[in-house]
Amino acid sequence: MADRKAELERKKAQLAAMREKRKMEEKKKLASGGDAATPSPGEAGTPSDLRSETEELLKNLGIAPETSTEPAAGASGAAGGPESPRSSPKREAGVGAKKLTVSQVTQTTVVAKETVNYCKETQTMNLEPERDVLTYDESEREGEGVNAAEALAELQRMPHVQELVAAGAAADGAAPVAAEPEKPRELSDEERQQILLSESFVRFFDKTARVMERALAEDVDIFIDYSGGSGDTELGETAKQQVKQQRVFYDDRWSRNRCVTALDWSPHFPELCLAAYNANEDAPQEPDGVVCVWNVKFRKDSPEFVFHCQSPVTSACFAKFHRNLIVGGTYSGQVVLWDNRTPRRTPVQRSPLSSTAHTQPVLSVCVLGSENAHNLVSASSDGRLCTWSLDMLSQPQETLDLQRQNRPVPATCLDFAPSDANHFVVGSEDYSMYTGCRHGAKAGIMDALDGHQGPVSAVATHRATGPVDLGHIVLSASFDWTVRLWSLRDLGTVHVFEETSDYVMDLCWSPVNPALFCAADALGRLDFWQLNLDTEQAAARAQCDAAVNRCRFSDSGLLLGAGDHLGRLTVFELADSLASPRQEEWKLLGRTLHELKQATAELAAAEQDPPGVGPIR
Amino acid sequence: MDDLSEENTFSVDEVSQIIKEGVETCIGTSQFQQNKVNQWTSSIIEHCLNQLTKLGKPFKYVANCVIMQKNGAGLHTASSCYWDNQTDGSCTIKWENKTMHVIVTVFGLAI
């Protein structure tokens, strides 16, 4: 502020000085008698000059010049504003009469943004209100107090709410029922797997599944009316049919495409039978050897037990004195043992694959002896006979090589004489049968029975036990389409059955009827021969759809199981007249055999004599 | 006649060029801001008038500037004059960017 004042003073002084100077000049001019014209412009000029000067001075001081002449608009506009109109050259007004017209309208448009709006209405359907509006008027209730019965009655007036009422009433009313029963906890996948794989569960599941399957498979007609008259006509029919197909056992997974290689009926449970299967070529990842135990008693379609092993099973049997064991002989030469007490399906015991045991397919296994002293005997196709103990399959107790003329016998089948653990009959590929014995000085092959013209496929020693000992009667089946009846006493053929027209694959004596046996051939035909009835023709015939590989009578003699090459096990039921022996069966059979023997001898004699030389008797 | 000389007619092209320059200089790429609009309008008008007077023509100029925010609203303006069509003229420039419309009108009246 102080220097401002000083400045002001200075400027004032300057101003004063200038005024005085001017005055002096004026005086000079007046004195010199200047033109009147010049002072006027000069005068006119000087006031304007003076004015501009003052204005400049004032401006320097920061005092805005008189605001009345300046436009009120923005600050920056102030300086520029007055200059421009002044600097522009003044045009003299009134140049001439201008023609003024209205100009065109200039229009400017900014288009508005179009907003789309639409109107939609929805109206709820106007239904008749079915229910009264349930008002929860707390105040009312509180006054009354909660009366469960009353509340229930009130609520029940509205029928549709009833289910809710029940729940609500139950919850509110009598017993709280422990709030809410504990929600079962959801098990994780791991826990589930653990439980599923635990042994106790597996065992339980196995057993109960079996029971359930049986129960479900039964289709007993509970509505049967014994007083009705519709069932009488059936008897006549069954009388005609001697052999009837009862059931077919077939499992899609285990029997498909597998040939039945062995068949056996359980000595402990007459309804159980086992079937051993070959490998399934179409399913290489499935185990090669399968043994299924089927149950005839129940209607269910799945096997009771399934066992398998890595090599195709070529023979199998129930262990006679152990109700839980199943013995099998495999293609690789191993003898394996399964136990149905354990849930595992693989063998519990296995014989080693060594040269001390078998190295060729085991074609027969059987348990011989008595309950206290029994052995397992197995024979393989290289003529080796091994004796094992059921407890220890790590090495055979005895080994016997069957040799004939210093060459091993290429065996195909083996059978022991009933109740004789020593003597056996073996059929071989070189068209002959051999008798042999296991122990004794001459252990091995004793005699040869020739006659067949093809490899022997099955031998069967007489099974039925009765008043007459017919242990010397042996049947043999061969690929030369014949079945031969032999007598071991005189080592000769008793009779030749030439009925079949294809390879005879298997045969089996009936365990109850001494004169009955069954032969199965590759056409699927099962011939039942009743020797006392007719020796030239089969007494009954049954047909399977595929080539039958094995056939076995059950211990009762009433059922026959036939396994074919497609994996099916067909069970046939025999009529009583056929299956059961008559009173005089044994006697008749003796006579029949004698007759047959005679006939054969005559035939042989006739053949030896040149034909036409002597009379044919 | 003097009236028809170059000097004495309103040159629309020149003026429009001046206006465009003015808008671009003052606003450029700015987005609409309420607190700056004042500034922008003044500066545009100032710039325009300065440039116009620099032309040195014997004209009176009137400059008008409208800045409108783009909000979806619509706008319509129109103007008309009663003058000497030969010598006087006007020029309107519409300029816009993403957020605003700028409309500058300059009227030039021969002195």
Side-chain angles (χ1 to χ4, degrees), chain A residues 55-379:
Chain A
E55 275 179 27
E56 261 190 19
L57 282 172
L58 285 172
K59 224 188 291 172
N60 290 344
L61 290 172
I63 298 169
E66 288 169 26
T67 50
S68 57
T69 50
E70 302 300 321
S76 49
E83 285 181 7
S84 32
R86 245 180 246 130
S87 55
S88 61
K90 267 199 178 163
R91 228 341 132 81
E92 277 179 333
V95 165
K98 287 206 184 141
K99 207 163 160 228
L100 300 178
T101 48
V102 178
S103 76
Q104 270 191 325
V105 180
T106 320
Q107 300 186 55
T108 313
T109 314
V110 170
V111 181
K113 191 168 89 175
E114 211 178 284
T115 50
V116 179
N117 49 15
Y118 62 94
C119 183
K120 185 172 154 102
E121 273 181 29
T122 308
Q123 173 67 46
T124 55
M125 286 210 295
N126 211 5
L127 292 171
E128 267 290 310
E130 287 176 351
R131 53 182 92 178
D132 304 322
V133 175
L134 187 64
T135 52
Y136 286 99
D137 232 351
E138 292 299 323
S139 52
E140 263 181 39
R141 297 246 171 204
E142 273 169 19
E144 296 179 309
V146 180
N147 191 341
E150 217 179 319
L152 190 63
E154 195 184 5
L155 288 169
Q156 274 178 342
R157 268 189 262 129
M158 295 173 279
H160 60 282
V161 191
Q162 213 136 37
E163 283 116 51
L164 292 171
V165 166
D172 297 337
V177 191
E180 203 182 276
E182 266 195 39
K183 272 203 184 131
R185 192 170 58 92
E186 186 101 17
L187 292 172
S188 71
D189 277 332
E190 266 177 25
E191 283 180 31
R192 243 177 242 152
Q193 275 303 103
Q194 229 178 351
I195 290 173
L196 285 174
L197 294 172
S198 75
E199 204 189 309
S200 57
F201 178 84
V202 169
R203 213 186 283 265
F204 154 77
F205 193 72
D206 198 29
K207 290 205 161 63
T208 47
R210 208 168 282 146
V211 171
M212 284 312 298
E213 272 193 76
R214 284 184 206 147
L216 289 170
E218 288 298 315
D219 59 345
V220 181
D221 181 16
I222 58 170
F223 295 108
I224 190 165
D225 183 10
Y226 292 108
S227 62
S230 57
D232 293 332
T233 52
E234 285 184 21
L235 284 172
E237 222 181 275
T238 46
K240 268 201 297 186
Q241 230 185 351
Q242 305 255 2
V243 180
K244 203 168 51 149
Q245 178 176 313
Q246 195 197 50
R247 291 190 69 171
V248 177
F249 288 116
Y250 180 77
D251 185 64
D252 200 45
R253 185 175 170 202
W254 295 113
S255 322
R256 174 183 286 277
N257 253 340
R258 294 175 187 260
C259 179
V260 175
T261 53
L263 206 59
D264 195 24
W265 291 84
S266 168
H268 305 281
F269 302 106
E271 64 265 21
L272 292 181
C273 73
L274 72 78
Y277 298 91
N278 217 339
N280 183 355
E281 281 96 29
D282 293 340
Q285 71 277 8
E286 295 272 333
D288 280 345
V290 171
V291 171
C292 292
V293 177
W294 300 93
N295 193 331
V296 181
K297 194 156 77 165
F298 298 111
R299 298 245 125 247
K300 75 168 187 165
D301 280 327
S302 55
E304 285 282 333
F305 299 102
V306 178
F307 300 108
H308 43 75
C309 71
Q310 284 315 307
S311 171
V313 180
T314 49
S315 63
C317 73
F318 280 99
K320 218 190 288 184
F321 304 106
H322 297 263
R323 50 175 62 209
N324 299 107
L325 298 181
I326 293 170
V327 185
T330 65
Y331 190 80
S332 59
Q334 271 186 324
V335 176
V336 294
L337 196 70
W338 287 286
D339 194 333
N340 69 1
R341 287 170 293 196
T342 65
R344 55 182 274 207
R345 293 175 161 192
T346 50
V348 292
Q349 268 201 74
R350 249 179 282 245
S351 74
L353 282 167
S354 77
S355 54
T356 53
H358 298 288
T359 50
Q360 296 260 328
V362 177
L363 43 93
S364 162
V365 281
C366 51
V367 177
L368 302 171
S370 65
E371 174 135 12
N372 296 323
H374 54 266
N375 286 316
L376 173 69
V377 177
S378 63

